Structures are given as C-alpha cells and as structure tokens.
Amino acid sequence: MALVVLLGGLVALAAAAPLLGRALGRTSCLVLAAGLAAATAVVVALVPGVVAGRDVVASTPWLPSLGVDAALRLDGVALVFVLVALVVGVLVLAYCARYLDDAEAAGPVPAVLVLFAAAMCGLVLADDLVLLYVCWELTTLCSFVLVSTAGAPATAPGRQALVVTVAGGLCLLLAVVLVVVATGSTSVHALVSDPDRLLSSPLAGPVAALVVVAAATKSAQLPFQAWLPGAMVAMTPVSAYLHAATMVKAGVYLLVRTSAVFAGQPAWTAVLVSLGLTTALVGAVLALREHDLKGVLAYSTVSQLGLLVAAVGVGTPEALAAALLHTVAHALFKATLFMLVGIVDHETGSRDVRDLAGLRRVMPWTAAATGVAALSLGGVPPLLGFVSKEYLYEGFLTAGPAAWAGPVAVGVAVLASTLTLAYAARVAHGAFGGEDLSHPGLHEPSPLFLAPGAVAALAGAVLGPAVSWLSPLVAAATSAALPGEEAPEVHLWHGVTPQLVLSGVTLALGALLFARRDAVDRVLQAWSPPSASAAFERGHAGLLRLGEVVGLPDRAGGAPAQLARLLVAVVVVAALAAVGLGPQPERLVSEDPVAWGVVVLAAGVLAALAVTRSSLVLVALGGTTGLLVAVWLLLRGALDVAITLLLVEVLTAVVLVLVLRGQPRRLPRTSARRALPVTATAVATGLAAGGAAWALTGRRPLSDVGAQVLAEAEPLTGGTNVVNVVLVDLRGLDTFLETVVVGVVALGLVVLGRGPAGRRTGPPGPDPVTEDLVLRVGTRLLAPLMVALGAYLLWRGHDEPGGGFIAALVLGTAVALGHLAGGRAPFARTPRALRPSLLVGGGLLVALGTGLVPLLGGDALLAPFDLPLLGALGVTSALVFDVGVLLLVLGLAVAAVHSLDAGVPDVGRADEQRRATRPHREADGDEDGERDGAPVGGAAGGRR
C-alpha cells in the first residue's frame, strides 16, 4: 500500500503544481519540494525491512487476459534509484524556488519535474515488464517536454533527444515481447529469479542485444551520446535533474536489473565493458575540450555513465556494488555542480571559463561548495567520489575471462579518470580561480538559492569518510541485482591495494594535465572531432528528402489525382482477387427482391447525381443515396448501423450547405475528354466494391467469437443491445482511444479556426439574420425535440438501438441547423456549455474517469461497476462512459460547424460586391434561367 500511496501522491502533486504556481508563485516550488520530501520519508521508513531482505510488494490485475499486472516491488536495487530520484528532486525543486520567477513557476516546469520523479520511481519500482516499459516512455516524454521549454533553441536538440530515446524505447518494447514469448510471463521478479527460462531460449541473444541498445540510447552511450549534451539548452534545474537522477540513470537501472539474467555471459560482458569504457574515454576528452561550464558537465555525464555501464558489464558482485555506489556519488556531485554553475550563469550572465575568473573573492561559499563537488567528481580523497572510483577500479581488475582483459579495462578507466580530474579542476578553477576578478560587482546568492547545491556537496563530503553508512544499502542492492551472490562491504580504507595505487596514479596524472592546461587545450582545440549531432541532422534531413520523393506523387495533381490512384488500386486489387480467390462457398443468405429494388433505385440516383450541374441537387441526391443504403441495412437487420448512417447523412447534408453557402449554384461544365475516364473509374470501382461485398459476405456461418459475444453479452454486462455492449464494454478501450482521436481532431479544428492573434477567423461586418422564416421557426420547434431524442437514444443505447455516438449525431445536427437558421457570428451565440474545448475536455474526463474507477477496486480498466444510488435508477457505468463518448463526438460536430461557419463569406455583402463589379453579366442560358454565379442559399436579388 505504501508504494501505491507513494506513486499516487507524486502524480497528485504534479497535477496540483500548476494551481500552486498560480497561487503562490515561485514559493510553490518549496511546497512541491516538501511533497517530495514526504515521499522520501515514506521510502526511508521502508529501508530497514528492505535492507533485511523483505521486499515491499503491491500488485493489482491490469490486463488479466494477458497476464499483465500493475505490480510494484521495492527491493535493494529499486531502493537506491528511488532515493536518488526523490532526494535530488527535493534539492532541485528547492533550487527552483529561487531560480524560477513567478511566471515560470506557474508554467509546466515544476509540474513536469514532479511527474518526472513519479515516472522514474514507477520505472524502478515496476515489477511487470509492461509497466516498466510504460514508465520508461513516460520519462522520455517528460524529458522532451522539459527540454522543449527552452523555446526555439531547443527545437533541434529536443527532436534529436526524442527520436533517439523513442527508438531505444521501441527496442525495449520488442525485448519485452520476446521475453513474454520465451517465458510466458511479464513478471520482472520471475525473470530475475529464474534466468534459465530465458537463457535456454534462442531468443535470449536478441533480447540481450535489444536491452543493450535501449540502455545505450537512454544513458547516452556511443554512438547515441550526442542527444545528452544537446539537451543542455534546457534551464539549469532541468539539466541538474536530467543528468543527476532521472532520465540517464534509467538505462543504468535497466542494465543492473537484467544483470541477474545476463551477467557472466561473455558477449554481454564484452559488449558492455567495451561500450562503456569507450564512451567514458571519449566523453572525458570532449569534456576537456569544452569552455562552457555546462558543456563540460554534460560531456562529464556521458563519461561517468560510461564507467557505470562498463562496471555493470563486468557483472561481478564487486563491480555491481561499485556501480551502485558510484550512482549515488554521481547524483550528489553532478546535482551540485549543475546547480552552482546555474548560479554563476544567473549572476554573471556567462558560463564560458574564458570570461570568468576570481569569483571566489565575491562568492566564497559558492566557490567552496563547487570545489568540494569538483573534487568528488575528480576522485580526490576522502570524498565519496574517491571511494566509489576505487571500487570501480577493483571491479575492472576482474573484467573478462581473459587474463589481459582486466589490466586493459582498468588502464582505460584510469585514463578516463585522469581526464576527469583535469576537467573537474577546470570547472572549479575556471570560474573561481585566478588573481583577476572578472565581475567585481557580484555578491553571494541568497542562502536559499545556494543551500540545495551546498547540501548535496556536503553530503558527498560526509559520506566519503562515513561510506560504511551506505554499506547495508549497497549490499542489499547488490544481493537483489545478483541473487545468491555474496555482496561486498564498502569502506573508506582497506589497506594499500592495487586500486589505491591506481588512484594515486590518477591524481598525479590529472594534476599534471591541469598544470599544463594551456598546452593541453591547444592540442585539443586543434583536433576537430566529428559531430554526432551534425550527423544526426544530416540523417534527419536525408530522411525528410526521401519522404518528399516518396510522397511526390501524392502532392502532384491535387485531390483528384490522389483519389484516382486510390480508386484504380481498388480496381486492381479486386481484379487480382477475382483471379486468385477461386470458387467461393455457396451463399447462405437468401436473396431479397426488395433489396435488389433498393440497389436499382440507388443506381438511378447515382446516374442522376453524375449528370446534374446544380450543387443543391447534388447535395440532395448524395443524401438520397445514403438514405437508400440505410434502407438496405435496415432490411438486413442492422438497425444500429442504419440509424447511424441516416444521421450521418443528415448531418453531412447540413454541413455541405454550410460549405456551399456563398458558392455558385451551378457546377462548371466538364469536357467529355475528362468525364469519360472519371466515369469509367467510378463505375469500375463501384463494381469492384459491390462484387467484393457479394463474393465475401453471406457465405459463412456465424463465427465462434460472434456466437460467444451474442451468448455472453447480457450475462456479463446486463445489456441486450450487442452492438452497444461491444462498443462500451467488451471493446471499451478501443472506443475510448478512437474518441480521443475524435477529440484531438475537434481541438485541431478549434485551433485552425483562430487567426494569428487567437481570434476567430471570419469576415468583418454586421451579423445578418437569415430571412428564411420557415427554417428559423422550424429549427426552434425541432431543436428541443432533437435534444429530447438524443437523450432518449443515449438512455436506451445499452438495451436498444442507440447510444452515445448516435445521440451525439442527433445533437450535432441540431447545432448545425441552428447555425443555418441563425445567420453569422455563431460563436457569439453559442452557449458556453457547447464550446468544443469544454465538450472535448469534459468527455475525456468522463470517459477516462469511468475507465479508471474499476482499478481502485482491483478490477481491470473499463470493467463494468455498480453506481451507488444511481444504479437503482438504471444508470450504469456503461451509460456514464457513453456520456463521455457523446460529449467527444458532439465536440467534433460543433467544432466542424464553427470552423465552416466562421469561414463562410457574408452572402449579402458578397452578392452586393458581385453586382457592383459585374452589373452587365448575362445569364448563361440554362433551362432554369439562374446565373452560374448566383450563390447557394440566396436569391439573385439579395440575401437568403
């Protein structure tokens, strides 16, 4: 229960963050920090039990038919990463209380930071692979949103980060699928407890490869490292949290968690150690080339993550313990350095070490905290970074089965760490060292601004000598990562050892590089490494060019050419099917002469539709065709579908009248040369579609699935209308996702209907009212009846033909008729309750809320449930869900009518201008005497 409260509280806190920001300004960040501190306290209370080997578990069925549970488990590994995410989150949000202004605090950054913490905690606590993947992708989205808050400069870096990490997420998804195929389970605990279930499968190799790629993209390993330095365009609190505790640590966590399965496998060890150490070395060199302090720290993160990946790849208990300890150390010193560099940037307006010097004179406390964190990064004793670095050396000495592998691995690690010490010294000395003072007018930041970074630096300083305090935590995490292995203890001093000698070599060489920093810098600046970001942008541009070439036929010739290609494709497929399908079973459905009569009538209507030149007659005949099809469906017993089609045709006709208002009544003449191929294509397509319907339907008995649905629909849901039961109960998730798409389209229409300043588009001028008295009076009489009909159809939908979608079509038709009868300025007349944004938002909340309520009782998403009090009145959860569907579809209908009506020119004004500019225009001699230019919906002499 504690884990559910933890995640639920974090999500609720994220939801409340915007409201707190508007009410309290940047002080709200302190409230959010307090919330994360409370969550940390909940986890700390569980530490004794977890360290003693008693995992905290919570689970509820999520997708029972697939064996997927919303399962959480707090063991030693999860405990380390949860504490890192929460503690650093507390510090970063407290830092935001002085870094952000009131407007920024009311924006998305604080809320998404809290959501980021929730996603990271969910990821490491997930005891189900599907839940782990969902949270993995949530961290990707949170990262993208946070980076994108930097505005235009973040466009390219944000895109690169999203593409790379989403690609890695797809690899993880494929790995999850393969694990389920190989083991038949999505349980993480079952996977790590019995690794032979996967290792004995031929899918083990592909799973391991996909996991490595997923982790490499998330943790910025070669060749995917470029997105992380690019993401430094984000504001400092975002960079601090991203680099120290969340996004990039997710990849390390995935490798640690799967070590129970793959550790000791030669290919796993060789790939991870090689990949990690290469990344560590390249990242360290690139960091030493940087003059931007934030750039130094960004490449430093790449390098340090490489060391972690390599240590995990070694796979021994000593190496994994070192990786876990260094994860904590890295979180502390990297959070400190980012926050303090942010202070320097905030106070001076620069992060370039060539523009900064001597700031220790005016900012001594900031300089001291930065120095402590930089020394920990460089591995200087007795700080925590020194202890974790020594244990990394110890782990690398045992790398690989070959005798030479250990010395080579530790040699590369020493070289990378030497460079690390050199650039760590650059960070501290570059801003605060030197005799000259670059910015004499500065002063120390406020204590609240400095405190978060100083606290993290102090923790790194204290936990070095007192690292034994962390020994139980590291041991518990190592035991959870490698079940059955004996976990080592960690201490500051364990005698004169090879790793201590290697640490001395690192310090000496690092100090030498720093002393010769000018010469080193000249050498590094003369080297121009290939830009991974530029390579990505070239690849992205090439992909776009390829898309342009592939899509060129669809852009040439306009809509008629596109439609023609699709219709010809239908004819070709039908022809191939006619040749390849062979004889079909006899039809089981007897032919109805009345149905053939409907077909003959429809053919006559279509023939008339093809030759008419009147736009109004075209609309009428098109609606008649739909009506005849609805009659045919009714004869076949498909009452729900017939009603839906009939309402769609009515709504379509009304919308078409809105579209055609102000347009010429007469369609232009079409030459025979163009009409013949169009007619041939239309006839061939119709014959192909009709032939397919005749050949492929009515020849097979009811399927087993269909029979099961008919038999179990009422016992399972209480509904007797099987169509509605399928839509809102059996396939409720599909319906919800489809209605979400409808809502997105509706909101898109709302946005497109706004001008550059956010106002509705449409012509200026007065608000004329239609002169069609019959339409106005008829609409006033029909509107209440249509509302009542919509409510009736909604109410009966679960047992009789009807439902939310059909009811929404009725109400949408009423709205469209109101616009036809009411003239212009529809938005001024539309009640606030019928605004598309409110309808869509309300529909989403109702539908999603109905789906989530069963989870509280341990049932599946969208499972039917009883409503207190309302259930006695016949109100079911399916009806409430249908209300959400109604609101979403009605929102689309209202948005469509609004957008069409807002862009229709003022008929009377256009008619007056036409007569003024072309007073001597002659009639075209048509039999009805109307002019081709006379607008639809208005007489030749004025408005409708």
Side-chain angles (χ1 to χ4, degrees), residues 183-497:
T183 67
S185 172
T186 61
S187 171
V188 175
H189 183 67
L191 176 65
V192 300
S193 299
D194 186 12
D196 289 337
R197 294 177 63 188
L198 178 60
L199 292 177
S200 60
S201 168
L203 298 176
V207 169
L210 291 168
V211 167
V212 170
V213 174
T217 57
K218 204 77 161 181
S219 292
Q221 301 298 285
L222 288 172
F224 310 108
Q225 82 287 352
W227 73 263
L228 185 56
M232 72 178 181
V233 297
M235 62 176 63
T236 297
V238 172
S239 297
Y241 204 36
L242 181 70
H243 286 249
T246 50
M247 180 79 162
V248 295
K249 295 293 174 65
V252 175
Y253 167 77
L254 181 65
L255 294 176
V256 172
R257 181 59 78 189
T258 52
S259 290
V261 180
F262 299 113
Q265 301 296 317
W268 174 267
T269 300
V271 170
L272 288 187
V273 172
S274 302
L275 177 67
L277 290 178
T278 303
T279 303
L281 187 58
V282 171
V285 172
L286 294 175
L288 196 57
R289 290 185 77 251
E290 283 289 325
H291 295 113
D292 184 327
L293 290 174
K294 207 170 177 183
V296 174
L297 297 180
Y299 283 108
S300 166
T301 301
V302 173
S303 178
Q304 296 299 301
L305 290 171
L307 290 176
L308 291 174
V309 168
V312 174
V314 172
T316 62
E318 292 77 14
L320 276 174
L324 292 164
L325 182 62
H326 196 63
T327 296
V328 177
H330 178 263
L332 293 175
F333 62 65
K334 192 54 61 71
T336 299
L337 290 172
F338 265 108
M339 287 189 281
L340 297 183
V341 166
I343 289 177
V344 171
D345 186 20
H346 188 274
E347 297 293 331
T348 66
S350 175
R351 301 193 304 257
D352 195 320
V353 293
R354 295 167 295 188
D355 300 332
L356 302 171
L359 295 183
R360 70 183 185 282
R361 299 181 183 179
V362 290
M363 305 169 68
W365 290 105
T366 305
T370 304
V372 170
L375 291 175
S376 185
L377 168 62
V380 176
L383 302 174
L384 184 59
F386 164 76
V387 181
S388 63
K389 196 70 63 68
E390 281 218 325
Y391 279 99
L392 286 176
Y393 287 163
E394 180 182 356
F396 288 135
L397 285 171
T398 60
W404 53 265
V408 171
V410 80
V412 176
V414 167
L415 181 55
S417 299
T418 298
L419 298 172
T420 299
L421 178 60
Y423 66 69
R426 164 176 279 189
V427 171
H429 182 271
F432 301 98
E435 296 302 323
D436 297 329
L437 179 60
S438 59
H439 297 76
L442 297 183
H443 55 80
E444 198 74 80
S446 67
L448 185 57
F449 199 8
L450 178 60
V455 167
L458 181 62
V462 171
L463 288 176
V467 70
S468 57
W469 294 353
L470 296 177
S471 188
L473 177 63
V474 173
T478 306
S479 298
L482 294 175
E485 297 287 346
E486 184 178 355
E489 296 183 352
V490 291
H491 303 282
L492 173 63
W493 175 256
H494 35 267
V496 179
T497 58

Side-chain angles (χ1 to χ4, degrees), residues 50-65:
V50 175
V51 169
R54 298 188 299 273
D55 296 351
V56 181
V57 180
S59 179
T60 186
W62 183 14
L63 301 172
S65 60

Side-chain angles (χ1 to χ4, degrees), residues 724 726-729 731-743 746 794 802-809 811-812 839-851 862 877-893:
N724 187 265
V726 169
L727 291 176
V728 302
D729 289 310
R731 295 181 64 241
L733 181 60
D734 288 346
T735 301
F736 173 71
L737 295 177
E738 290 162 3
T739 51
V740 168
V741 174
V742 169
L794 171 68
F805 186 80
I806 293 176
L809 293 177
L811 298 178
L839 291 172
V840 172
L844 283 173
L845 288 176
V846 172
L848 182 60
T850 308
L862 287 167
S877 61
L879 178 61
V880 178
F881 179 78
D882 235 0
V883 171
V885 175
L886 182 150
L887 294 174
L888 281 160
V889 177
L890 180 59
L892 175 61

Side-chain angles (χ1 to χ4, degrees), residues 7 78 117 191 198 288 344 432 523 525 591 622 653 682 827 830 835 903:
L7 292 182
L191 176 65
L198 178 60
L288 196 57
V344 171
F432 301 98
V523 172
Q525 295 305 318
E591 304 301 336
F827 305 104
T830 302
R835 298 299 171 113

